[in-house]
Amino acid sequence: MKYTKDNPPLICMMDNSTCYKNTDYMEVKGILLHSTGANNPALKRYVQPSSWDSNYNYLINKIGKNKYGNDWNNIYVNAGLNAWIGKLDDGSVSTVQTMPWNIKPWGCGAEGIKYSCNEAWIQFEICDDGYKSEEYFKQVYEEAVQITAYLCKKFDIDPLGTVEFHGKTVPTI
């Protein structure tokens, strides 16, 4: 397994985001995967450290600098995820954790009468490349498998299981 307690994914807490500042803790019940649906596999498009992060220079060197300032670590984006998968600045594919695993993400629609997986599912986004590269797809797929296995072990989640959630049976993955 790629990720372990002693070898977690790269951490870049996006603590300047609206989600990070205004969300709450959750009891983790499962894992939800998304695709950006946008043609940009670069993590730097979405993930940037806060200027006060003690690892700022290291993280910018690993992730790359978003020169447009349109990343998700700001108060103007009303969304947030626990992690992202995509290309680091050197072109390698990796996972970057951007919020604590037990913090409610804002990634899959509004909460309310129908409820939302935002309440109890760790969420990560896979940076899409416009379906141009089979090799990239294989790399992000394997990365998604690795981070999901890590999280299943960490939170004792049955990857083939279901949970009862607000009166409905919902898959854990």
Side-chain angles (χ1 to χ4, degrees), residues 100-113:
W101 301 122
N102 64 338
I103 294 289
K104 291 180 182 181
W106 295 353
C108 69
E111 295 181 28
I113 195 163

Side-chain angles (χ1 to χ4, degrees), residues 32-37 81 106-109 118 123-127:
L32 182 65
L33 297 69
H34 295 163
S35 168
T36 59
L81 299 158
W106 295 353
C108 69
N118 288 345
Q123 295 175 39
F124 60 84
E125 197 85 23
I126 299 172
C127 297

